[in-house]
Amino acid sequence: MPALRRVLVANRGEIAVRVIRTLRDLGLTSIAVYSEADRLSLHVLLADEAYPIGPAPAAQSYLDIERILETARRTRADAVHPGYGFLAENPDFARACEEAGLAFVGPSARTIAALGDKLAARRLAERSGVPLIPGSGALSSLESARAEARRLGYPVMLKAVAGGGGKGLRVLGGERELASAWELARGEARAAFADDRVYLERCFRRPRHVEAQIVADHHGHVAFLGERECSVQRRHQKLLEETPCVALDVRGRAALGEAARSLARAAGYASAGTIEFLLDEDGAFHFLEVNTRLQVEHPVTEMVTGLDLVAEQLRVAAGEPLSFGDEPPAPRGHALEARITAEDPLRGFVPSTGTVRRLRLPQGPGVRNDSGLYRGAQVSVYYDPLVAKLITWGRDRDEAARRMARALDEYVLEGVRHTVPFHRWLVAHPEFRAGRLHTRFIDEHLQPDTLARGGEN
């Protein structure tokens, strides 16, 4: 990959570690950046070079575009990999990298801006023939919201046009909830995205959340690498993902993949990206949104395809074609990913901070760990509580789930509360093992007193 030699990783934690490892595999120089709180973090210790970019608060470090670009210029970087979160889907950051002569390891600023606007993405999907969730345009007033909600029929979701990660989102069961939700959603959207526009979508009662992984280059290749089931969620935050989705047959999978490829082509997409859908109670899929970055759950796709999606991103950023040309590898087997977060599931998943006193990551056949932890590492109050991901592979879903159960039993993490006990409960639940999943699964089945503390504190 001669066009790229030095890559700055504009992120932290497990995703920075994961990107750095691929850079090492490819013989490229990895340049880490870190806040004062992350001076001894694992991504700093593993990178070829590491440079401070400011105080602990993300707004003064990992979200400071000028500090990151200045570090990239000073260290003679050729490219910037944004990971996920922070600036990964910020078109201003992508544009600033492009203007500075840096390869941005992701889609273009124009593509990020076009698809980051949820209503613009819906319009593009509609023009591409992709089925949509019934919804409204941008709402100008509370009265217009009332009228649209009545037209769509309750329940509805009030969503931020520039939203993501559950911010600026409210589920409304009836009209009496609308006035307060209108103010709260707009205020949250304004604070998170500096954009208080909102719109409505019909709310399916028990949908599955299924996403299509695509990767595209500048040579006309747009590949569908299979779907991921992401239905196990709490407050719109994913907790466990898997591939393939047991609710899709061969015909449904092909149709979903073609819809994703059609939308990616229409957007002029180049890099790895995810087209998200909801499957309704009848199994029909409806477009939800596009994530213009590497997803947290990308390892399950890597486990079944044998591909390195970060390496593919780097090839695209360097102007090279995808490694597999016109025909992606056929997925093999089944993979699960448990998100290990520093949260206490016995207390409503409140965040936990502290020093890792003891750590033993599971190993063995079909097990992968993506982690930013080591003994003595600090889990800070300043950042997202995701600290590790446990991924298992099996020849079928049952084997992958049995390996996940075994790996969770081996997992030891002391010093902070964490979600390993929750995942032990989840993978043993008969409804999970049967594959009967939907986005309200946790609301319907989780009782905190059924979780046993194990391997924590």
Side-chain angles (χ1 to χ4, degrees), residues 339-372:
R339 297 193 186 194
I340 311 302
T341 61
E343 297 174 301
D344 188 349
L346 293 175
R347 298 176 55 215
F349 291 81
V350 296
S352 177
T353 60
T355 303
V356 176
R357 297 200 309 264
R358 186 172 174 230
L359 178 67
R360 185 183 71 203
L361 298 178
Q363 301 180 38
V367 176
R368 166 176 166 177
N369 287 282
D370 281 22
S371 170

PDB file of all heavy atoms in Angstrom, residues 339-372:
ATOM      1  N   ARG A 339     -21.077  -6.544  23.683  1.00  0.00           N
ATOM      2  CA  ARG A 339     -20.410  -5.291  24.040  1.00  0.00           C
ATOM      3  C   ARG A 339     -20.183  -5.286  25.556  1.00  0.00           C
ATOM      4  O   ARG A 339     -21.149  -5.314  26.333  1.00  0.00           O
ATOM      5  CB  ARG A 339     -21.257  -4.090  23.647  1.00  0.00           C
ATOM      6  CG  ARG A 339     -21.493  -3.947  22.158  1.00  0.00           C
ATOM      7  CD  ARG A 339     -22.066  -2.577  21.849  1.00  0.00           C
ATOM      8  NE  ARG A 339     -22.443  -2.462  20.451  1.00  0.00           N
ATOM      9  CZ  ARG A 339     -22.719  -1.310  19.854  1.00  0.00           C
ATOM     10  NH1 ARG A 339     -22.660  -0.184  20.558  1.00  0.00           N
ATOM     11  NH2 ARG A 339     -23.060  -1.268  18.576  1.00  0.00           N
ATOM     12  N   ILE A 340     -18.928  -5.213  25.971  1.00  0.00           N
ATOM     13  CA  ILE A 340     -18.597  -5.161  27.390  1.00  0.00           C
ATOM     14  C   ILE A 340     -18.428  -3.690  27.768  1.00  0.00           C
ATOM     15  O   ILE A 340     -17.488  -3.028  27.317  1.00  0.00           O
ATOM     16  CB  ILE A 340     -17.312  -5.946  27.712  1.00  0.00           C
ATOM     17  CG1 ILE A 340     -17.371  -7.351  27.090  1.00  0.00           C
ATOM     18  CG2 ILE A 340     -17.097  -6.007  29.217  1.00  0.00           C
ATOM     19  CD1 ILE A 340     -18.541  -8.193  27.538  1.00  0.00           C
ATOM     20  N   THR A 341     -19.358  -3.186  28.543  1.00  0.00           N
ATOM     21  CA  THR A 341     -19.309  -1.791  28.954  1.00  0.00           C
ATOM     22  C   THR A 341     -19.087  -1.693  30.456  1.00  0.00           C
ATOM     23  O   THR A 341     -19.462  -2.588  31.220  1.00  0.00           O
ATOM     24  CB  THR A 341     -20.605  -1.050  28.577  1.00  0.00           C
ATOM     25  OG1 THR A 341     -21.711  -1.670  29.237  1.00  0.00           O
ATOM     26  CG2 THR A 341     -20.830  -1.087  27.076  1.00  0.00           C
ATOM     27  N   ALA A 342     -18.472  -0.590  30.883  1.00  0.00           N
ATOM     28  CA  ALA A 342     -18.261  -0.330  32.312  1.00  0.00           C
ATOM     29  C   ALA A 342     -19.524   0.301  32.874  1.00  0.00           C
ATOM     30  O   ALA A 342     -19.595   1.504  33.143  1.00  0.00           O
ATOM     31  CB  ALA A 342     -17.046   0.566  32.521  1.00  0.00           C
ATOM     32  N   GLU A 343     -20.544  -0.525  33.021  1.00  0.00           N
ATOM     33  CA  GLU A 343     -21.847  -0.125  33.545  1.00  0.00           C
ATOM     34  C   GLU A 343     -22.352  -1.225  34.476  1.00  0.00           C
ATOM     35  O   GLU A 343     -22.018  -2.400  34.285  1.00  0.00           O
ATOM     36  CB  GLU A 343     -22.847   0.086  32.410  1.00  0.00           C
ATOM     37  CG  GLU A 343     -22.471   1.208  31.452  1.00  0.00           C
ATOM     38  CD  GLU A 343     -23.422   1.278  30.272  1.00  0.00           C
ATOM     39  OE1 GLU A 343     -23.533   0.282  29.541  1.00  0.00           O
ATOM     40  OE2 GLU A 343     -24.050   2.336  30.086  1.00  0.00           O
ATOM     41  N   ASP A 344     -23.172  -0.852  35.433  1.00  0.00           N
ATOM     42  CA  ASP A 344     -23.702  -1.818  36.387  1.00  0.00           C
ATOM     43  C   ASP A 344     -25.121  -2.203  35.984  1.00  0.00           C
ATOM     44  O   ASP A 344     -26.062  -1.422  36.179  1.00  0.00           O
ATOM     45  CB  ASP A 344     -23.698  -1.213  37.796  1.00  0.00           C
ATOM     46  CG  ASP A 344     -24.062  -2.240  38.859  1.00  0.00           C
ATOM     47  OD1 ASP A 344     -24.508  -3.346  38.495  1.00  0.00           O
ATOM     48  OD2 ASP A 344     -23.905  -1.941  40.053  1.00  0.00           O
ATOM     49  N   PRO A 345     -25.330  -3.403  35.416  1.00  0.00           N
ATOM     50  CA  PRO A 345     -26.674  -3.786  34.988  1.00  0.00           C
ATOM     51  C   PRO A 345     -27.635  -3.995  36.153  1.00  0.00           C
ATOM     52  O   PRO A 345     -28.851  -3.992  35.954  1.00  0.00           O
ATOM     53  CB  PRO A 345     -26.435  -5.102  34.227  1.00  0.00           C
ATOM     54  CG  PRO A 345     -25.159  -5.635  34.780  1.00  0.00           C
ATOM     55  CD  PRO A 345     -24.327  -4.435  35.122  1.00  0.00           C
ATOM     56  N   LEU A 346     -27.116  -4.150  37.362  1.00  0.00           N
ATOM     57  CA  LEU A 346     -27.976  -4.307  38.530  1.00  0.00           C
ATOM     58  C   LEU A 346     -28.524  -2.978  39.022  1.00  0.00           C
ATOM     59  O   LEU A 346     -29.440  -2.950  39.845  1.00  0.00           O
ATOM     60  CB  LEU A 346     -27.205  -4.991  39.663  1.00  0.00           C
ATOM     61  CG  LEU A 346     -26.802  -6.443  39.410  1.00  0.00           C
ATOM     62  CD1 LEU A 346     -25.945  -6.958  40.539  1.00  0.00           C
ATOM     63  CD2 LEU A 346     -28.018  -7.326  39.223  1.00  0.00           C
ATOM     64  N   ARG A 347     -27.982  -1.875  38.539  1.00  0.00           N
ATOM     65  CA  ARG A 347     -28.427  -0.543  38.958  1.00  0.00           C
ATOM     66  C   ARG A 347     -28.838   0.291  37.744  1.00  0.00           C
ATOM     67  O   ARG A 347     -28.532   1.467  37.642  1.00  0.00           O
ATOM     68  CB  ARG A 347     -27.325   0.167  39.753  1.00  0.00           C
ATOM     69  CG  ARG A 347     -26.934  -0.545  41.045  1.00  0.00           C
ATOM     70  CD  ARG A 347     -25.785   0.144  41.751  1.00  0.00           C
ATOM     71  NE  ARG A 347     -26.072   1.551  42.001  1.00  0.00           N
ATOM     72  CZ  ARG A 347     -25.158   2.520  41.956  1.00  0.00           C
ATOM     73  NH1 ARG A 347     -23.901   2.247  41.641  1.00  0.00           N
ATOM     74  NH2 ARG A 347     -25.509   3.775  42.210  1.00  0.00           N
ATOM     75  N   GLY A 348     -29.512  -0.342  36.815  1.00  0.00           N
ATOM     76  CA  GLY A 348     -30.006   0.387  35.653  1.00  0.00           C
ATOM     77  C   GLY A 348     -28.924   0.786  34.672  1.00  0.00           C
ATOM     78  O   GLY A 348     -29.063   1.764  33.942  1.00  0.00           O
ATOM     79  N   PHE A 349     -27.833   0.041  34.645  1.00  0.00           N
ATOM     80  CA  PHE A 349     -26.721   0.292  33.720  1.00  0.00           C
ATOM     81  C   PHE A 349     -26.081   1.656  33.969  1.00  0.00           C
ATOM     82  O   PHE A 349     -25.652   2.340  33.032  1.00  0.00           O
ATOM     83  CB  PHE A 349     -27.173   0.174  32.260  1.00  0.00           C
ATOM     84  CG  PHE A 349     -27.511  -1.230  31.831  1.00  0.00           C
ATOM     85  CD1 PHE A 349     -28.747  -1.788  32.134  1.00  0.00           C
ATOM     86  CD2 PHE A 349     -26.601  -2.000  31.127  1.00  0.00           C
ATOM     87  CE1 PHE A 349     -29.080  -3.074  31.745  1.00  0.00           C
ATOM     88  CE2 PHE A 349     -26.922  -3.293  30.734  1.00  0.00           C
ATOM     89  CZ  PHE A 349     -28.164  -3.832  31.040  1.00  0.00           C
ATOM     90  N   VAL A 350     -25.965   2.071  35.213  1.00  0.00           N
ATOM     91  CA  VAL A 350     -25.255   3.322  35.503  1.00  0.00           C
ATOM     92  C   VAL A 350     -23.764   3.125  35.239  1.00  0.00           C
ATOM     93  O   VAL A 350     -23.216   2.053  35.487  1.00  0.00           O
ATOM     94  CB  VAL A 350     -25.493   3.792  36.954  1.00  0.00           C
ATOM     95  CG1 VAL A 350     -26.944   4.114  37.186  1.00  0.00           C
ATOM     96  CG2 VAL A 350     -24.989   2.757  37.955  1.00  0.00           C
ATOM     97  N   PRO A 351     -23.076   4.141  34.704  1.00  0.00           N
ATOM     98  CA  PRO A 351     -21.648   4.008  34.407  1.00  0.00           C
ATOM     99  C   PRO A 351     -20.824   3.739  35.656  1.00  0.00           C
ATOM    100  O   PRO A 351     -21.170   4.151  36.764  1.00  0.00           O
ATOM    101  CB  PRO A 351     -21.283   5.358  33.786  1.00  0.00           C
ATOM    102  CG  PRO A 351     -22.583   5.896  33.275  1.00  0.00           C
ATOM    103  CD  PRO A 351     -23.629   5.422  34.242  1.00  0.00           C
ATOM    104  N   SER A 352     -19.708   3.039  35.446  1.00  0.00           N
ATOM    105  CA  SER A 352     -18.786   2.717  36.527  1.00  0.00           C
ATOM    106  C   SER A 352     -17.385   3.143  36.105  1.00  0.00           C
ATOM    107  O   SER A 352     -17.003   3.004  34.944  1.00  0.00           O
ATOM    108  CB  SER A 352     -18.808   1.216  36.814  1.00  0.00           C
ATOM    109  OG  SER A 352     -17.879   0.855  37.820  1.00  0.00           O
ATOM    110  N   THR A 353     -16.619   3.677  37.034  1.00  0.00           N
ATOM    111  CA  THR A 353     -15.248   4.094  36.743  1.00  0.00           C
ATOM    112  C   THR A 353     -14.309   3.496  37.783  1.00  0.00           C
ATOM    113  O   THR A 353     -14.741   3.035  38.835  1.00  0.00           O
ATOM    114  CB  THR A 353     -15.115   5.627  36.766  1.00  0.00           C
ATOM    115  OG1 THR A 353     -15.480   6.100  38.068  1.00  0.00           O
ATOM    116  CG2 THR A 353     -16.016   6.276  35.727  1.00  0.00           C
ATOM    117  N   GLY A 354     -13.017   3.514  37.466  1.00  0.00           N
ATOM    118  CA  GLY A 354     -12.036   3.000  38.412  1.00  0.00           C
ATOM    119  C   GLY A 354     -10.822   2.442  37.712  1.00  0.00           C
ATOM    120  O   GLY A 354     -10.620   2.640  36.512  1.00  0.00           O
ATOM    121  N   THR A 355     -10.023   1.715  38.464  1.00  0.00           N
ATOM    122  CA  THR A 355      -8.796   1.100  37.960  1.00  0.00           C
ATOM    123  C   THR A 355      -9.003  -0.396  37.804  1.00  0.00           C
ATOM    124  O   THR A 355      -9.523  -1.061  38.708  1.00  0.00           O
ATOM    125  CB  THR A 355      -7.628   1.341  38.930  1.00  0.00           C
ATOM    126  OG1 THR A 355      -7.464   2.749  39.113  1.00  0.00           O
ATOM    127  CG2 THR A 355      -6.329   0.746  38.404  1.00  0.00           C
ATOM    128  N   VAL A 356      -8.613  -0.946  36.672  1.00  0.00           N
ATOM    129  CA  VAL A 356      -8.715  -2.383  36.451  1.00  0.00           C
ATOM    130  C   VAL A 356      -7.698  -3.086  37.349  1.00  0.00           C
ATOM    131  O   VAL A 356      -6.496  -2.934  37.175  1.00  0.00           O
ATOM    132  CB  VAL A 356      -8.472  -2.732  34.973  1.00  0.00           C
ATOM    133  CG1 VAL A 356      -8.476  -4.243  34.761  1.00  0.00           C
ATOM    134  CG2 VAL A 356      -9.515  -2.067  34.082  1.00  0.00           C
ATOM    135  N   ARG A 357      -8.197  -3.836  38.324  1.00  0.00           N
ATOM    136  CA  ARG A 357      -7.313  -4.514  39.271  1.00  0.00           C
ATOM    137  C   ARG A 357      -6.929  -5.912  38.802  1.00  0.00           C
ATOM    138  O   ARG A 357      -5.843  -6.403  39.138  1.00  0.00           O
ATOM    139  CB  ARG A 357      -7.992  -4.600  40.640  1.00  0.00           C
ATOM    140  CG  ARG A 357      -8.284  -3.252  41.293  1.00  0.00           C
ATOM    141  CD  ARG A 357      -8.483  -3.407  42.786  1.00  0.00           C
ATOM    142  NE  ARG A 357      -9.456  -4.445  43.094  1.00  0.00           N
ATOM    143  CZ  ARG A 357     -10.749  -4.217  43.340  1.00  0.00           C
ATOM    144  NH1 ARG A 357     -11.216  -2.980  43.289  1.00  0.00           N
ATOM    145  NH2 ARG A 357     -11.574  -5.210  43.619  1.00  0.00           N
ATOM    146  N   ARG A 358      -7.839  -6.536  38.085  1.00  0.00           N
ATOM    147  CA  ARG A 358      -7.577  -7.892  37.599  1.00  0.00           C
ATOM    148  C   ARG A 358      -8.289  -8.076  36.281  1.00  0.00           C
ATOM    149  O   ARG A 358      -9.425  -7.612  36.105  1.00  0.00           O
ATOM    150  CB  ARG A 358      -8.061  -8.926  38.628  1.00  0.00           C
ATOM    151  CG  ARG A 358      -7.692 -10.366  38.284  1.00  0.00           C
ATOM    152  CD  ARG A 358      -8.025 -11.302  39.441  1.00  0.00           C
ATOM    153  NE  ARG A 358      -7.796 -12.688  39.066  1.00  0.00           N
ATOM    154  CZ  ARG A 358      -8.666 -13.683  39.233  1.00  0.00           C
ATOM    155  NH1 ARG A 358      -9.833 -13.434  39.804  1.00  0.00           N
ATOM    156  NH2 ARG A 358      -8.387 -14.907  38.864  1.00  0.00           N
ATOM    157  N   LEU A 359      -7.639  -8.753  35.341  1.00  0.00           N
ATOM    158  CA  LEU A 359      -8.229  -8.945  34.017  1.00  0.00           C
ATOM    159  C   LEU A 359      -7.785 -10.281  33.456  1.00  0.00           C
ATOM    160  O   LEU A 359      -6.595 -10.585  33.409  1.00  0.00           O
ATOM    161  CB  LEU A 359      -7.796  -7.822  33.068  1.00  0.00           C
ATOM    162  CG  LEU A 359      -8.312  -7.918  31.622  1.00  0.00           C
ATOM    163  CD1 LEU A 359      -9.821  -7.727  31.583  1.00  0.00           C
ATOM    164  CD2 LEU A 359      -7.622  -6.883  30.743  1.00  0.00           C
ATOM    165  N   ARG A 360      -8.767 -11.088  33.059  1.00  0.00           N
ATOM    166  CA  ARG A 360      -8.469 -12.317  32.323  1.00  0.00           C
ATOM    167  C   ARG A 360      -9.461 -12.417  31.173  1.00  0.00           C
ATOM    168  O   ARG A 360     -10.661 -12.579  31.382  1.00  0.00           O
ATOM    169  CB  ARG A 360      -8.595 -13.552  33.219  1.00  0.00           C
ATOM    170  CG  ARG A 360      -8.169 -14.846  32.492  1.00  0.00           C
ATOM    171  CD  ARG A 360      -8.378 -16.062  33.368  1.00  0.00           C
ATOM    172  NE  ARG A 360      -9.802 -16.350  33.538  1.00  0.00           N
ATOM    173  CZ  ARG A 360     -10.299 -17.048  34.553  1.00  0.00           C
ATOM    174  NH1 ARG A 360      -9.498 -17.471  35.522  1.00  0.00           N
ATOM    175  NH2 ARG A 360     -11.603 -17.279  34.638  1.00  0.00           N
ATOM    176  N   LEU A 361      -8.960 -12.260  29.962  1.00  0.00           N
ATOM    177  CA  LEU A 361      -9.814 -12.321  28.781  1.00  0.00           C
ATOM    178  C   LEU A 361      -9.911 -13.765  28.307  1.00  0.00           C
ATOM    179  O   LEU A 361      -8.907 -14.481  28.277  1.00  0.00           O
ATOM    180  CB  LEU A 361      -9.248 -11.437  27.672  1.00  0.00           C
ATOM    181  CG  LEU A 361      -9.153  -9.942  28.000  1.00  0.00           C
ATOM    182  CD1 LEU A 361      -8.533  -9.188  26.828  1.00  0.00           C
ATOM    183  CD2 LEU A 361     -10.516  -9.363  28.344  1.00  0.00           C
ATOM    184  N   PRO A 362     -11.095 -14.214  27.943  1.00  0.00           N
ATOM    185  CA  PRO A 362     -11.263 -15.599  27.495  1.00  0.00           C
ATOM    186  C   PRO A 362     -10.544 -15.865  26.187  1.00  0.00           C
ATOM    187  O   PRO A 362     -10.329 -14.957  25.372  1.00  0.00           O
ATOM    188  CB  PRO A 362     -12.776 -15.732  27.334  1.00  0.00           C
ATOM    189  CG  PRO A 362     -13.271 -14.342  27.151  1.00  0.00           C
ATOM    190  CD  PRO A 362     -12.356 -13.459  27.934  1.00  0.00           C
ATOM    191  N   GLN A 363     -10.179 -17.103  25.985  1.00  0.00           N
ATOM    192  CA  GLN A 363      -9.488 -17.524  24.772  1.00  0.00           C
ATOM    193  C   GLN A 363     -10.116 -18.825  24.283  1.00  0.00           C
ATOM    194  O   GLN A 363     -11.165 -19.227  24.736  1.00  0.00           O
ATOM    195  CB  GLN A 363      -7.996 -17.702  25.067  1.00  0.00           C
ATOM    196  CG  GLN A 363      -7.315 -16.448  25.580  1.00  0.00           C
ATOM    197  CD  GLN A 363      -5.844 -16.653  25.861  1.00  0.00           C
ATOM    198  OE1 GLN A 363      -5.155 -17.355  25.134  1.00  0.00           O
ATOM    199  NE2 GLN A 363      -5.357 -16.042  26.930  1.00  0.00           N
ATOM    200  N   GLY A 364      -9.454 -19.466  23.345  1.00  0.00           N
ATOM    201  CA  GLY A 364      -9.917 -20.756  22.859  1.00  0.00           C
ATOM    202  C   GLY A 364     -10.518 -20.680  21.473  1.00  0.00           C
ATOM    203  O   GLY A 364     -10.599 -19.616  20.860  1.00  0.00           O
ATOM    204  N   PRO A 365     -10.969 -21.811  20.943  1.00  0.00           N
ATOM    205  CA  PRO A 365     -11.491 -21.870  19.579  1.00  0.00           C
ATOM    206  C   PRO A 365     -12.649 -20.903  19.364  1.00  0.00           C
ATOM    207  O   PRO A 365     -13.574 -20.824  20.170  1.00  0.00           O
ATOM    208  CB  PRO A 365     -11.971 -23.333  19.452  1.00  0.00           C
ATOM    209  CG  PRO A 365     -11.184 -24.082  20.467  1.00  0.00           C
ATOM    210  CD  PRO A 365     -10.965 -23.138  21.601  1.00  0.00           C
ATOM    211  N   GLY A 366     -12.568 -20.170  18.265  1.00  0.00           N
ATOM    212  CA  GLY A 366     -13.662 -19.308  17.866  1.00  0.00           C
ATOM    213  C   GLY A 366     -13.883 -18.092  18.728  1.00  0.00           C
ATOM    214  O   GLY A 366     -14.975 -17.519  18.708  1.00  0.00           O
ATOM    215  N   VAL A 367     -12.868 -17.631  19.474  1.00  0.00           N
ATOM    216  CA  VAL A 367     -13.027 -16.503  20.389  1.00  0.00           C
ATOM    217  C   VAL A 367     -12.095 -15.367  19.977  1.00  0.00           C
ATOM    218  O   VAL A 367     -10.910 -15.593  19.704  1.00  0.00           O
ATOM    219  CB  VAL A 367     -12.732 -16.913  21.844  1.00  0.00           C
ATOM    220  CG1 VAL A 367     -12.799 -15.699  22.771  1.00  0.00           C
ATOM    221  CG2 VAL A 367     -13.729 -17.970  22.308  1.00  0.00           C
ATOM    222  N   ARG A 368     -12.629 -14.152  19.942  1.00  0.00           N
ATOM    223  CA  ARG A 368     -11.832 -12.957  19.659  1.00  0.00           C
ATOM    224  C   ARG A 368     -12.169 -11.883  20.696  1.00  0.00           C
ATOM    225  O   ARG A 368     -13.318 -11.732  21.093  1.00  0.00           O
ATOM    226  CB  ARG A 368     -12.165 -12.439  18.247  1.00  0.00           C
ATOM    227  CG  ARG A 368     -11.671 -11.022  17.940  1.00  0.00           C
ATOM    228  CD  ARG A 368     -11.954 -10.640  16.506  1.00  0.00           C
ATOM    229  NE  ARG A 368     -11.808  -9.196  16.272  1.00  0.00           N
ATOM    230  CZ  ARG A 368     -11.937  -8.604  15.092  1.00  0.00           C
ATOM    231  NH1 ARG A 368     -12.198  -9.330  14.006  1.00  0.00           N
ATOM    232  NH2 ARG A 368     -11.796  -7.289  14.958  1.00  0.00           N
ATOM    233  N   ASN A 369     -11.149 -11.177  21.137  1.00  0.00           N
ATOM    234  CA  ASN A 369     -11.331 -10.058  22.056  1.00  0.00           C
ATOM    235  C   ASN A 369     -10.829  -8.775  21.402  1.00  0.00           C
ATOM    236  O   ASN A 369      -9.681  -8.705  20.967  1.00  0.00           O
ATOM    237  CB  ASN A 369     -10.531 -10.278  23.345  1.00  0.00           C
ATOM    238  CG  ASN A 369     -11.138 -11.333  24.226  1.00  0.00           C
ATOM    239  OD1 ASN A 369     -12.110 -11.082  24.928  1.00  0.00           O
ATOM    240  ND2 ASN A 369     -10.564 -12.537  24.208  1.00  0.00           N
ATOM    241  N   ASP A 370     -11.662  -7.758  21.342  1.00  0.00           N
ATOM    242  CA  ASP A 370     -11.243  -6.408  20.974  1.00  0.00           C
ATOM    243  C   ASP A 370     -11.349  -5.579  22.243  1.00  0.00           C
ATOM    244  O   ASP A 370     -12.456  -5.335  22.738  1.00  0.00           O
ATOM    245  CB  ASP A 370     -12.146  -5.828  19.882  1.00  0.00           C
ATOM    246  CG  ASP A 370     -11.809  -6.349  18.498  1.00  0.00           C
ATOM    247  OD1 ASP A 370     -11.194  -7.426  18.414  1.00  0.00           O
ATOM    248  OD2 ASP A 370     -12.192  -5.701  17.512  1.00  0.00           O
ATOM    249  N   SER A 371     -10.229  -5.161  22.795  1.00  0.00           N
ATOM    250  CA  SER A 371     -10.248  -4.556  24.125  1.00  0.00           C
ATOM    251  C   SER A 371      -9.247  -3.422  24.223  1.00  0.00           C
ATOM    252  O   SER A 371      -8.195  -3.445  23.589  1.00  0.00           O
ATOM    253  CB  SER A 371      -9.913  -5.634  25.171  1.00  0.00           C
ATOM    254  OG  SER A 371      -9.702  -5.058  26.444  1.00  0.00           O
ATOM    255  N   GLY A 372      -9.587  -2.441  25.031  1.00  0.00           N
ATOM    256  CA  GLY A 372      -8.663  -1.365  25.354  1.00  0.00           C
ATOM    257  C   GLY A 372      -8.159  -1.476  26.782  1.00  0.00           C
ATOM    258  O   GLY A 372      -7.613  -0.508  27.320  1.00  0.00           O
TER     259      GLY A 372
END
